[in-house]
mmCIF file of all heavy atoms in Angstrom:
data_model
loop_
_atom_site.group_PDB
_atom_site.id
_atom_site.type_symbol
_atom_site.label_atom_id
_atom_site.label_comp_id
_atom_site.label_asym_id
_atom_site.label_seq_id
_atom_site.Cartn_x
_atom_site.Cartn_y
_atom_site.Cartn_z
ATOM 1 N N ASP G 37 110.045 100.705 103.708
ATOM 2 C CA ASP G 37 110.940 100.020 104.655
ATOM 3 C C ASP G 37 110.880 98.508 104.424
ATOM 4 O O ASP G 37 111.141 97.738 105.345
ATOM 5 C CB ASP G 37 110.569 100.376 106.097
ATOM 6 C CG ASP G 37 109.137 99.973 106.468
ATOM 7 O OD1 ASP G 37 108.355 99.581 105.570
ATOM 8 O OD2 ASP G 37 108.789 100.052 107.659
ATOM 9 N N PHE G 38 110.566 98.093 103.204
ATOM 10 C CA PHE G 38 110.354 96.666 102.911
ATOM 11 C C PHE G 38 111.642 95.882 102.659
ATOM 12 O O PHE G 38 111.603 94.658 102.564
ATOM 13 C CB PHE G 38 109.452 96.486 101.684
ATOM 14 C CG PHE G 38 108.042 96.990 101.864
ATOM 15 C CD1 PHE G 38 107.251 97.284 100.777
ATOM 16 C CD2 PHE G 38 107.505 97.171 103.133
ATOM 17 C CE1 PHE G 38 105.939 97.736 100.934
ATOM 18 C CE2 PHE G 38 106.201 97.625 103.313
ATOM 19 C CZ PHE G 38 105.424 97.912 102.211
ATOM 20 N N THR G 40 114.972 94.705 100.278
ATOM 21 C CA THR G 40 115.006 94.235 98.889
ATOM 22 C C THR G 40 115.152 92.724 98.804
ATOM 23 O O THR G 40 115.295 92.171 97.724
ATOM 24 C CB THR G 40 116.157 94.907 98.113
ATOM 25 O OG1 THR G 40 117.369 94.713 98.857
ATOM 26 C CG2 THR G 40 115.914 96.388 97.947
ATOM 27 N N LYS G 41 115.113 92.027 99.953
ATOM 28 C CA LYS G 41 115.283 90.578 99.881
ATOM 29 C C LYS G 41 113.958 89.833 99.711
ATOM 30 O O LYS G 41 113.952 88.682 99.295
ATOM 31 C CB LYS G 41 116.093 90.050 101.058
ATOM 32 C CG LYS G 41 115.350 89.833 102.359
ATOM 33 C CD LYS G 41 116.332 89.286 103.400
ATOM 34 C CE LYS G 41 115.626 88.760 104.642
ATOM 35 N NZ LYS G 41 114.862 87.513 104.439
ATOM 36 N N ASP G 42 112.842 90.480 100.034
ATOM 37 C CA ASP G 42 111.547 89.827 99.907
ATOM 38 C C ASP G 42 110.874 90.190 98.583
ATOM 39 O O ASP G 42 111.416 90.928 97.787
ATOM 40 C CB ASP G 42 110.651 90.220 101.077
ATOM 41 C CG ASP G 42 111.230 89.785 102.416
ATOM 42 O OD1 ASP G 42 111.608 88.614 102.533
ATOM 43 O OD2 ASP G 42 111.332 90.637 103.312
ATOM 44 N N HIS G 43 109.655 89.684 98.406
ATOM 45 C CA HIS G 43 108.897 89.897 97.176
ATOM 46 C C HIS G 43 108.011 91.125 97.254
ATOM 47 O O HIS G 43 107.286 91.422 96.309
ATOM 48 C CB HIS G 43 108.032 88.661 96.940
ATOM 49 C CG HIS G 43 107.042 88.483 98.058
ATOM 50 N ND1 HIS G 43 107.418 88.106 99.326
ATOM 51 C CD2 HIS G 43 105.716 88.695 98.120
ATOM 52 C CE1 HIS G 43 106.368 88.071 100.114
ATOM 53 N NE2 HIS G 43 105.317 88.430 99.400
ATOM 54 N N TYR G 44 108.038 91.847 98.353
ATOM 55 C CA TYR G 44 107.041 92.911 98.572
ATOM 56 C C TYR G 44 107.118 94.028 97.522
ATOM 57 O O TYR G 44 106.112 94.413 96.931
ATOM 58 C CB TYR G 44 107.193 93.498 99.972
ATOM 59 C CG TYR G 44 106.962 92.489 101.081
ATOM 60 C CD1 TYR G 44 107.898 92.277 102.079
ATOM 61 C CD2 TYR G 44 105.787 91.748 101.125
ATOM 62 C CE1 TYR G 44 107.686 91.346 103.096
ATOM 63 C CE2 TYR G 44 105.560 90.816 102.137
ATOM 64 C CZ TYR G 44 106.521 90.629 103.120
ATOM 65 O OH TYR G 44 106.299 89.704 104.105
ATOM 66 N N ALA G 46 108.560 94.064 94.585
ATOM 67 C CA ALA G 46 108.269 93.552 93.246
ATOM 68 C C ALA G 46 106.769 93.393 93.030
ATOM 69 O O ALA G 46 106.249 93.698 91.954
ATOM 70 C CB ALA G 46 108.980 92.215 93.019
ATOM 71 N N SER G 47 106.047 92.952 94.053
ATOM 72 C CA SER G 47 104.596 92.809 93.913
ATOM 73 C C SER G 47 103.951 94.164 93.638
ATOM 74 O O SER G 47 103.055 94.273 92.793
ATOM 75 C CB SER G 47 103.992 92.190 95.182
ATOM 76 O OG SER G 47 104.560 90.921 95.425
ATOM 77 N N GLY G 50 104.678 95.053 90.056
ATOM 78 C CA GLY G 50 103.865 94.249 89.146
ATOM 79 C C GLY G 50 102.444 94.792 89.045
ATOM 80 O O GLY G 50 101.880 94.905 87.946
ATOM 81 N N VAL G 51 101.874 95.149 90.188
ATOM 82 C CA VAL G 51 100.520 95.721 90.213
ATOM 83 C C VAL G 51 100.468 97.000 89.370
ATOM 84 O O VAL G 51 99.547 97.207 88.561
ATOM 85 C CB VAL G 51 100.075 96.008 91.666
ATOM 86 C CG1 VAL G 51 98.865 96.927 91.715
ATOM 87 C CG2 VAL G 51 99.793 94.695 92.396
ATOM 88 N N LEU G 53 102.557 98.010 86.912
ATOM 89 C CA LEU G 53 102.771 97.747 85.485
ATOM 90 C C LEU G 53 101.577 97.040 84.844
ATOM 91 O O LEU G 53 101.344 97.186 83.642
ATOM 92 C CB LEU G 53 104.047 96.928 85.274
ATOM 93 C CG LEU G 53 105.346 97.678 85.563
ATOM 94 C CD1 LEU G 53 106.530 96.712 85.519
ATOM 95 C CD2 LEU G 53 105.576 98.822 84.574
ATOM 96 N N SER G 54 100.842 96.283 85.636
ATOM 97 C CA SER G 54 99.637 95.649 85.095
ATOM 98 C C SER G 54 98.588 96.686 84.725
ATOM 99 O O SER G 54 97.763 96.462 83.842
ATOM 100 C CB SER G 54 99.030 94.681 86.124
ATOM 101 O OG SER G 54 99.923 93.622 86.384
ATOM 102 N N GLN G 71 109.716 100.655 110.027
ATOM 103 C CA GLN G 71 108.653 101.428 110.685
ATOM 104 C C GLN G 71 109.125 102.775 111.214
ATOM 105 O O GLN G 71 108.458 103.391 112.047
ATOM 106 C CB GLN G 71 108.007 100.570 111.773
ATOM 107 C CG GLN G 71 107.590 99.212 111.162
ATOM 108 C CD GLN G 71 107.016 98.236 112.137
ATOM 109 O OE1 GLN G 71 107.289 98.289 113.321
ATOM 110 N NE2 GLN G 71 106.222 97.321 111.635
ATOM 111 N N VAL G 101 99.233 99.620 109.409
ATOM 112 C CA VAL G 101 98.452 99.058 108.297
ATOM 113 C C VAL G 101 97.275 98.209 108.795
ATOM 114 O O VAL G 101 97.417 97.408 109.710
ATOM 115 C CB VAL G 101 99.349 98.224 107.352
ATOM 116 C CG1 VAL G 101 99.998 97.060 108.082
ATOM 117 C CG2 VAL G 101 98.567 97.747 106.145
ATOM 118 N N GLY G 102 96.126 98.429 108.178
ATOM 119 C CA GLY G 102 94.957 97.649 108.537
ATOM 120 C C GLY G 102 94.186 98.232 109.709
ATOM 121 O O GLY G 102 93.075 97.798 110.002
ATOM 122 N N GLY G 103 94.784 99.193 110.424
ATOM 123 C CA GLY G 103 94.123 99.799 111.579
ATOM 124 C C GLY G 103 93.414 101.093 111.209
ATOM 125 O O GLY G 103 92.922 101.248 110.094
ATOM 126 N N GLN G 152 94.671 92.822 104.927
ATOM 127 C CA GLN G 152 94.752 93.694 106.106
ATOM 128 C C GLN G 152 96.189 94.080 106.417
ATOM 129 O O GLN G 152 96.427 94.850 107.345
ATOM 130 C CB GLN G 152 94.162 92.959 107.323
ATOM 131 C CG GLN G 152 92.686 92.682 107.204
ATOM 132 C CD GLN G 152 91.864 93.965 107.245
ATOM 133 O OE1 GLN G 152 92.011 94.785 108.141
ATOM 134 N NE2 GLN G 152 91.010 94.165 106.248
ATOM 135 N N THR G 153 97.125 93.519 105.694
ATOM 136 C CA THR G 153 98.525 93.683 106.110
ATOM 137 C C THR G 153 99.426 94.273 105.037
ATOM 138 O O THR G 153 100.577 94.590 105.321
ATOM 139 C CB THR G 153 99.109 92.296 106.487
ATOM 140 O OG1 THR G 153 98.945 91.424 105.364
ATOM 141 C CG2 THR G 153 98.418 91.707 107.695
ATOM 142 N N PHE G 154 98.937 94.437 103.810
ATOM 143 C CA PHE G 154 99.844 94.905 102.755
ATOM 144 C C PHE G 154 99.099 95.897 101.838
ATOM 145 O O PHE G 154 98.806 95.609 100.692
ATOM 146 C CB PHE G 154 100.367 93.700 101.958
ATOM 147 C CG PHE G 154 101.505 94.006 101.033
ATOM 148 C CD1 PHE G 154 102.140 95.256 101.021
ATOM 149 C CD2 PHE G 154 101.981 93.052 100.139
ATOM 150 C CE1 PHE G 154 103.189 95.539 100.158
ATOM 151 C CE2 PHE G 154 103.024 93.315 99.271
ATOM 152 C CZ PHE G 154 103.624 94.566 99.288
ATOM 153 N N ARG G 157 100.737 97.077 98.342
ATOM 154 C CA ARG G 157 100.387 96.351 97.125
ATOM 155 C C ARG G 157 98.920 96.502 96.736
ATOM 156 O O ARG G 157 98.596 96.659 95.565
ATOM 157 C CB ARG G 157 100.711 94.864 97.327
ATOM 158 C CG ARG G 157 100.374 93.958 96.157
ATOM 159 C CD ARG G 157 100.458 92.489 96.551
ATOM 160 N NE ARG G 157 99.390 92.149 97.496
ATOM 161 C CZ ARG G 157 99.356 91.028 98.233
ATOM 162 N NH1 ARG G 157 100.345 90.153 98.147
ATOM 163 N NH2 ARG G 157 98.354 90.809 99.062
ATOM 164 N N ILE C 43 112.485 94.453 85.666
ATOM 165 C CA ILE C 43 112.094 94.626 87.066
ATOM 166 C C ILE C 43 112.770 93.549 87.908
ATOM 167 O O ILE C 43 112.699 92.361 87.591
ATOM 168 C CB ILE C 43 110.556 94.492 87.233
ATOM 169 C CG1 ILE C 43 109.827 95.562 86.408
ATOM 170 C CG2 ILE C 43 110.159 94.568 88.714
ATOM 171 C CD1 ILE C 43 109.933 96.977 86.915
ATOM 172 N N ILE C 45 112.864 91.155 90.933
ATOM 173 C CA ILE C 45 112.066 90.594 92.037
ATOM 174 C C ILE C 45 112.962 90.638 93.278
ATOM 175 O O ILE C 45 112.704 91.382 94.196
ATOM 176 C CB ILE C 45 111.524 89.193 91.717
ATOM 177 C CG1 ILE C 45 110.461 89.315 90.601
ATOM 178 C CG2 ILE C 45 110.920 88.554 92.975
ATOM 179 C CD1 ILE C 45 109.762 88.031 90.232
ATOM 180 N N THR C 46 114.011 89.880 93.275
ATOM 181 C CA THR C 46 115.052 90.053 94.289
ATOM 182 C C THR C 46 116.313 89.368 93.779
ATOM 183 O O THR C 46 116.245 88.459 92.941
ATOM 184 C CB THR C 46 114.656 89.468 95.660
ATOM 185 O OG1 THR C 46 115.734 89.726 96.593
ATOM 186 C CG2 THR C 46 114.452 87.960 95.616
ATOM 187 N N GLN C 48 118.586 88.668 96.345
ATOM 188 C CA GLN C 48 119.128 88.313 97.642
ATOM 189 C C GLN C 48 118.570 87.000 98.163
ATOM 190 O O GLN C 48 118.497 86.794 99.376
ATOM 191 C CB GLN C 48 118.866 89.449 98.630
ATOM 192 C CG GLN C 48 119.719 90.669 98.317
ATOM 193 C CD GLN C 48 119.194 91.902 99.002
ATOM 194 O OE1 GLN C 48 118.316 92.594 98.482
ATOM 195 N NE2 GLN C 48 119.715 92.188 100.166
ATOM 196 N N LEU C 60 109.647 82.700 96.863
ATOM 197 C CA LEU C 60 109.529 84.137 96.561
ATOM 198 C C LEU C 60 108.942 84.353 95.168
ATOM 199 O O LEU C 60 108.167 85.290 94.954
ATOM 200 C CB LEU C 60 110.897 84.815 96.691
ATOM 201 C CG LEU C 60 111.392 84.919 98.143
ATOM 202 C CD1 LEU C 60 112.835 85.391 98.192
ATOM 203 C CD2 LEU C 60 110.503 85.857 98.957
ATOM 204 N N LEU C 63 105.170 83.789 95.305
ATOM 205 C CA LEU C 63 104.434 84.846 95.996
ATOM 206 C C LEU C 63 104.289 86.128 95.168
ATOM 207 O O LEU C 63 103.497 86.988 95.507
ATOM 208 C CB LEU C 63 105.124 85.194 97.326
ATOM 209 C CG LEU C 63 105.124 84.115 98.401
ATOM 210 C CD1 LEU C 63 105.862 84.609 99.639
ATOM 211 C CD2 LEU C 63 103.718 83.670 98.761
ATOM 212 N N TYR C 67 101.387 88.952 90.151
ATOM 213 C CA TYR C 67 101.010 90.363 90.175
ATOM 214 C C TYR C 67 101.470 91.098 88.921
ATOM 215 O O TYR C 67 101.131 92.252 88.725
ATOM 216 C CB TYR C 67 101.556 91.038 91.445
ATOM 217 C CG TYR C 67 100.823 90.546 92.659
ATOM 218 C CD1 TYR C 67 101.327 89.497 93.432
ATOM 219 C CD2 TYR C 67 99.582 91.074 92.993
ATOM 220 C CE1 TYR C 67 100.621 89.013 94.515
ATOM 221 C CE2 TYR C 67 98.858 90.587 94.080
ATOM 222 C CZ TYR C 67 99.386 89.559 94.832
ATOM 223 O OH TYR C 67 98.670 89.071 95.889
ATOM 224 N N PHE C 68 102.238 90.421 88.079
ATOM 225 C CA PHE C 68 102.777 91.070 86.876
ATOM 226 C C PHE C 68 101.808 90.921 85.699
ATOM 227 O O PHE C 68 100.962 90.024 85.697
ATOM 228 C CB PHE C 68 104.159 90.503 86.555
ATOM 229 C CG PHE C 68 105.210 91.050 87.486
ATOM 230 C CD1 PHE C 68 105.446 90.462 88.713
ATOM 231 C CD2 PHE C 68 105.892 92.217 87.156
ATOM 232 C CE1 PHE C 68 106.377 91.005 89.599
ATOM 233 C CE2 PHE C 68 106.821 92.764 88.033
ATOM 234 C CZ PHE C 68 107.056 92.164 89.254
ATOM 235 N N PRO C 69 101.952 91.809 84.696
ATOM 236 C CA PRO C 69 101.056 91.748 83.539
ATOM 237 C C PRO C 69 101.138 90.395 82.836
ATOM 238 O O PRO C 69 102.204 89.755 82.830
ATOM 239 C CB PRO C 69 101.601 92.848 82.615
ATOM 240 C CG PRO C 69 102.452 93.737 83.451
ATOM 241 C CD PRO C 69 102.924 92.916 84.608
ATOM 242 N N HIS C 185 109.719 80.804 105.225
ATOM 243 C CA HIS C 185 110.406 82.055 104.896
ATOM 244 C C HIS C 185 110.361 83.013 106.073
ATOM 245 O O HIS C 185 109.388 83.041 106.816
ATOM 246 C CB HIS C 185 109.723 82.698 103.683
ATOM 247 C CG HIS C 185 110.375 83.952 103.214
ATOM 248 N ND1 HIS C 185 111.652 83.967 102.699
ATOM 249 C CD2 HIS C 185 109.959 85.239 103.180
ATOM 250 C CE1 HIS C 185 111.982 85.208 102.363
ATOM 251 N NE2 HIS C 185 110.963 86.007 102.655
ATOM 252 N N ILE C 186 111.429 83.769 106.236
ATOM 253 C CA ILE C 186 111.454 84.852 107.230
ATOM 254 C C ILE C 186 111.677 86.141 106.466
ATOM 255 O O ILE C 186 112.676 86.263 105.732
ATOM 256 C CB ILE C 186 112.597 84.637 108.243
ATOM 257 C CG1 ILE C 186 112.345 83.340 109.003
ATOM 258 C CG2 ILE C 186 112.699 85.818 109.196
ATOM 259 C CD1 ILE C 186 113.598 82.783 109.634
ATOM 260 N N ASP C 187 110.735 87.081 106.568
ATOM 261 C CA ASP C 187 110.914 88.295 105.765
ATOM 262 C C ASP C 187 111.785 89.317 106.495
ATOM 263 O O ASP C 187 112.248 89.074 107.612
ATOM 264 C CB ASP C 187 109.558 88.864 105.321
ATOM 265 C CG ASP C 187 108.798 89.577 106.418
ATOM 266 O OD1 ASP C 187 109.360 89.851 107.500
ATOM 267 O OD2 ASP C 187 107.615 89.895 106.184
ATOM 268 N N SER C 188 112.024 90.457 105.855
ATOM 269 C CA SER C 188 112.992 91.390 106.436
ATOM 270 C C SER C 188 112.452 92.123 107.659
ATOM 271 O O SER C 188 113.201 92.810 108.344
ATOM 272 C CB SER C 188 113.500 92.375 105.392
ATOM 273 O OG SER C 188 112.438 93.073 104.831
ATOM 274 N N PHE C 189 111.165 91.987 107.967
ATOM 275 C CA PHE C 189 110.629 92.499 109.224
ATOM 276 C C PHE C 189 110.742 91.465 110.348
ATOM 277 O O PHE C 189 110.376 91.722 111.476
ATOM 278 C CB PHE C 189 109.150 92.871 109.075
ATOM 279 C CG PHE C 189 108.898 94.027 108.157
ATOM 280 C CD1 PHE C 189 108.617 93.829 106.816
ATOM 281 C CD2 PHE C 189 108.958 95.325 108.637
ATOM 282 C CE1 PHE C 189 108.393 94.897 105.959
ATOM 283 C CE2 PHE C 189 108.741 96.402 107.789
ATOM 284 C CZ PHE C 189 108.461 96.196 106.457
ATOM 285 N N LYS C 224 93.493 89.644 112.702
ATOM 286 C CA LYS C 224 93.214 90.050 111.324
ATOM 287 C C LYS C 224 94.318 90.921 110.735
ATOM 288 O O LYS C 224 94.515 90.955 109.529
ATOM 289 C CB LYS C 224 91.883 90.804 111.260
ATOM 290 C CG LYS C 224 90.700 89.860 111.346
ATOM 291 C CD LYS C 224 89.412 90.551 110.988
ATOM 292 C CE LYS C 224 88.244 89.598 111.206
ATOM 293 N NZ LYS C 224 87.043 90.299 111.654
ATOM 294 N N TYR C 226 98.223 93.352 111.741
ATOM 295 C CA TYR C 226 99.316 93.649 112.682
ATOM 296 C C TYR C 226 98.845 94.593 113.780
ATOM 297 O O TYR C 226 99.257 94.521 114.932
ATOM 298 C CB TYR C 226 100.496 94.294 111.944
ATOM 299 C CG TYR C 226 101.073 93.438 110.861
ATOM 300 C CD1 TYR C 226 101.326 93.963 109.607
ATOM 301 C CD2 TYR C 226 101.380 92.097 111.102
ATOM 302 C CE1 TYR C 226 101.870 93.177 108.601
ATOM 303 C CE2 TYR C 226 101.925 91.300 110.099
ATOM 304 C CZ TYR C 226 102.164 91.852 108.848
ATOM 305 O OH TYR C 226 102.696 91.079 107.857
ATOM 306 N N TRP C 227 97.958 95.506 113.391
ATOM 307 C CA TRP C 227 97.486 96.546 114.307
ATOM 308 C C TRP C 227 96.702 95.976 115.488
ATOM 309 O O TRP C 227 96.505 96.652 116.489
ATOM 310 C CB TRP C 227 96.601 97.539 113.535
ATOM 311 C CG TRP C 227 95.501 96.836 112.783
ATOM 312 C CD1 TRP C 227 95.608 96.163 111.597
ATOM 313 C CD2 TRP C 227 94.138 96.706 113.189
ATOM 314 N NE1 TRP C 227 94.409 95.624 111.232
ATOM 315 C CE2 TRP C 227 93.485 95.949 112.177
ATOM 316 C CE3 TRP C 227 93.404 97.162 114.276
ATOM 317 C CZ2 TRP C 227 92.129 95.635 112.256
ATOM 318 C CZ3 TRP C 227 92.054 96.842 114.343
ATOM 319 C CH2 TRP C 227 91.438 96.078 113.334
ATOM 320 N N LEU C 237 98.512 85.374 112.180
ATOM 321 C CA LEU C 237 97.521 85.932 111.242
ATOM 322 C C LEU C 237 97.787 85.423 109.837
ATOM 323 O O LEU C 237 98.873 84.927 109.546
ATOM 324 C CB LEU C 237 97.534 87.458 111.272
ATOM 325 C CG LEU C 237 98.627 88.226 110.530
ATOM 326 C CD1 LEU C 237 98.263 89.699 110.445
ATOM 327 C CD2 LEU C 237 99.968 88.075 111.236
ATOM 328 N N GLY C 239 98.591 86.639 106.534
ATOM 329 C CA GLY C 239 99.119 87.883 105.996
ATOM 330 C C GLY C 239 98.838 88.008 104.508
ATOM 331 O O GLY C 239 98.014 87.295 103.940
ATOM 332 N N SER C 240 99.557 88.893 103.880
ATOM 333 C CA SER C 240 99.336 89.203 102.472
ATOM 334 C C SER C 240 99.735 88.050 101.557
ATOM 335 O O SER C 240 99.383 88.020 100.395
ATOM 336 C CB SER C 240 100.144 90.436 102.094
ATOM 337 O OG SER C 240 101.535 90.174 102.231
ATOM 338 N N GLU C 250 105.557 96.110 115.672
ATOM 339 C CA GLU C 250 106.708 96.971 115.980
ATOM 340 C C GLU C 250 107.876 96.171 116.566
ATOM 341 O O GLU C 250 108.679 96.705 117.327
ATOM 342 C CB GLU C 250 106.299 98.128 116.894
ATOM 343 C CG GLU C 250 105.364 99.117 116.182
ATOM 344 C CD GLU C 250 104.688 100.117 117.126
ATOM 345 O OE1 GLU C 250 105.359 100.586 118.052
ATOM 346 O OE2 GLU C 250 103.494 100.407 116.903
#
Side-chain angles (χ1 to χ4, degrees):
Chain G
D37 60 351
F38 295 160
T40 52
K41 81 179 192 70
D42 298 310
H43 62 290
Y44 298 126
S47 300
V51 165
L53 290 172
S54 296
Q71 308 177 335
V101 60
Q152 294 292 308
T153 56
F154 192 8
R157 179 192 68 195
Chain C
I43 299 289
I45 292 184
T46 182
Q48 289 163 274
L60 290 171
L63 294 179
Y67 290 95
F68 284 86
H185 183 65
I186 297 159
D187 75 11
S188 57
F189 294 93
K224 283 193 185 146
Y226 300 132
W227 53 282
L237 78 168
S240 63
E250 292 167 40

